[in-house]
Amino acid sequence: MKNMLITGGAGFIGSNFCHYWAVQHPNDKLIVLDALTYAGHREHLAMLEKNNQLIFVQGDIGDQPLVEKLFAEHDINCVVHFAAESHVDRSIDGPDAFLQTNIMGTHVLLKAAKKYWLDAGIAEHHFHHVSTDEVYGSLETDAPAFTESSPFAPNSPYSASKAASDHLVRAYHHTYGLNVTTSNCSNNYGPYQDSEKLIPLIIQNILLGKALPIYGDGKNIRDWLYVEDHCRAIDLILAKGKIGEVYNVGGENEWRNIDIVNLICDQVDAALAANTQLLQQYPNTPYAKGDAAKSLITFVKDRPGHDRRYAIDPSKCHAQLGYYPQESFETGIIKTINWMLHNQKKNQGGTSK
């Protein structure tokens, strides 16, 4: 049985992981630590709290006394570390918070893990660190995908701070013997994602009849992973992953931003055509006025340091974990659109990644 501390569990990937884990491992004890910044929403966990399937604690991973208290009170033997400042645009405008949370916050967790596990002689423990493909930098269009041995070359304050946290996790394994694993994942999408990210922003703006802002020429390429597939990969890493190893978790779904936007436009229009009652809820969507969603596409000035392409080679996950994504991009995007059609919230802004 795991007594699991899930940092950032009220965020996008973290909340999906909590729901996934509660179903797959109902006897485990889940403790969620989340600061509830703009990207954290406790209501995403409301049903799990109501059913006594997790304990929620509002707090900062940089709060050493609080983190140590949670380790001690709940006999934590597993950490899944999602908590991070994660939006590239925000890191360009205000990098300090990214260094504080992503680097120093991770170090606080590692220090607590060392104190309550290693210093106490607890052999059965696991610290899993969730990271990003952005630590590897940018790829040319025809370059091979990133592997676990690709050198780090971060190009934004966000990715640099995540690269630093990856190094800290590795160091605590090699220096102190902490049982760690790390996963570097490609772009996630799915339910509960904050609307500053590309896919929920595009869906939301179509429904509200707002411009669909696309950076530069829209030809930046990303590898997309449905969030539940990511959760399954972490489950396999915790169960079968080799301690000290890094696993690249990819969706094997490379898409140009402009092609994603065009696909979403077509799918949202199709969903509204199939259920015209939704037009009462979204009267400003182009379809309600006889127009196509694509009419909202607007190209905007590219941002500084915008990586051209990310792509993950998940061969190691295939070989060692038996992991393969269950969702294609086409099936996953339909699920995401349907979820947003029935869970729409007011616009929070954003643009393409």
Side-chain angles (χ1 to χ4, degrees):
M1 175 178 172
K2 286 184 171 62
N3 296 333
M4 181 181 289
L5 176 62
I6 304 170
T7 71
F12 163 46
I13 305 176
S15 58
N16 276 279
F17 180 81
C18 289
H19 284 278
Y20 169 90
W21 202 268
V23 171
Q24 299 298 323
H25 305 276
N27 295 322
D28 286 353
K29 181 179 179 181
L30 306 182
I31 312 299
V32 170
L33 176 61
D34 198 294
L36 295 182
T37 61
Y38 71 94
H41 304 281
R42 188 171 178 176
E43 59 266 29
H44 294 170
L45 305 173
M47 187 59 66
L48 296 177
E49 283 196 84
K50 180 179 178 181
N51 295 336
N52 297 315
Q53 292 174 285
L54 63 77
I55 297 170
F56 181 84
V57 178
Q58 183 174 352
D60 194 324
I61 59 171
D63 185 341
Q64 185 86 35
L66 174 60
V67 170
E68 291 189 1
K69 179 183 177 182
L70 295 179
F71 268 81
E73 286 188 354
H74 299 287
D75 195 22
I76 299 298
N77 56 25
C78 180
V79 172
V80 181
H81 177 31
F82 293 100
E85 294 283 349
S86 65
H87 196 262
V88 175
D89 284 353
R90 289 177 182 265
S91 81
I92 294 170
D93 295 335
D96 288 8
F98 287 73
L99 274 63
Q100 187 62 42
T101 297
N102 298 354
I103 301 174
M104 298 309 298
T106 299
H107 192 216
V108 165
L109 291 167
L110 290 166
K111 287 191 294 182
K114 176 182 178 294
K115 177 178 178 178
Y116 283 91
W117 294 341
L118 298 183
D119 297 351
I122 298 175
E124 295 297 321
H125 65 265
H126 199 144
F127 188 108
H128 181 71
H129 175 59
V130 181
S131 190
T132 172
D133 56 1
E134 294 191 46
V135 299
Y136 299 120
S138 183
L139 285 171
E140 297 297 328
T141 303
D142 57 351
F146 297 126
T147 69
E148 290 80 0
S149 60
S150 296
F152 281 13
N155 291 319
S156 71
Y158 161 60
S159 55
S161 67
K162 288 299 289 185
S165 67
D166 290 14
H167 286 314
L168 278 172
V169 172
R170 173 185 169 86
Y172 264 73
H173 170 67
H174 286 279
T175 300
Y176 303 112
L178 195 70
N179 292 343
V180 308
T181 48
T182 295
S183 55
N184 294 83
C185 68
S186 53
N187 281 27
N188 279 217
Y189 68 100
Y192 301 125
Q193 190 167 25
D194 195 82
S195 59
E196 67 178 8
K197 299 291 187 174
L198 173 63
I199 287 176
L201 172 73
I202 295 302
I203 298 170
Q204 174 183 266
N205 281 14
I206 293 172
L207 298 176
L208 299 177
K210 295 186 175 183
L212 309 182
I214 310 299
Y215 276 134
D217 60 7
K219 295 180 181 180
N220 301 76
I221 297 171
R222 300 293 183 261
D223 177 26
W224 292 92
L225 176 69
Y226 189 65
V227 65
E228 188 171 325
D229 281 327
H230 186 189
C231 296
R232 288 194 310 104
I234 295 173
D235 192 355
L236 288 168
I237 292 169
L238 291 174
K240 301 167 64 176
K242 183 179 177 182
I243 294 301
E245 291 290 301
V246 174
Y247 293 90
N248 280 357
V249 182
E252 298 182 275
N253 280 303
E254 288 190 55
W255 285 73
R256 300 190 308 173
N257 285 346
I258 187 60
D259 295 331
I260 288 174
V261 173
N262 282 322
L263 174 65
I264 292 173
C265 285
D266 291 341
Q267 292 291 351
V268 172
D269 285 348
L272 294 172
N275 185 357
T276 55
Q277 291 182 345
L278 288 169
L279 297 178
Q280 297 177 15
Q281 185 176 350
Y282 304 112
N284 295 318
T285 189
Y287 188 83
K289 304 173 183 179
D291 294 328
K294 292 178 181 177
S295 64
L296 298 172
I297 292 176
T298 304
F299 291 91
V300 299
K301 183 180 178 181
D302 210 352
R303 72 174 177 218
H306 196 185
D307 291 333
R308 193 62 172 174
R309 173 177 170 244
Y310 305 138
I312 283 286
D313 180 352
S315 299
K316 185 174 178 179
C317 281
H318 297 341
Q320 293 191 16
L321 308 176
Y323 167 77
Y324 292 87
Q326 292 184 354
E327 297 291 343
S328 67
F329 190 75
E330 292 84 353
T331 61
I333 205 67
I334 289 173
K335 287 184 175 182
T336 303
I337 289 170
N338 288 336
W339 186 86
M340 287 198 66
L341 282 170
H342 298 93
N343 294 275
Q344 178 59 36
K345 294 184 178 181
K346 72 176 185 177
N347 180 43
Q348 296 179 7
T351 189
S352 59
K353 185 176 180 182

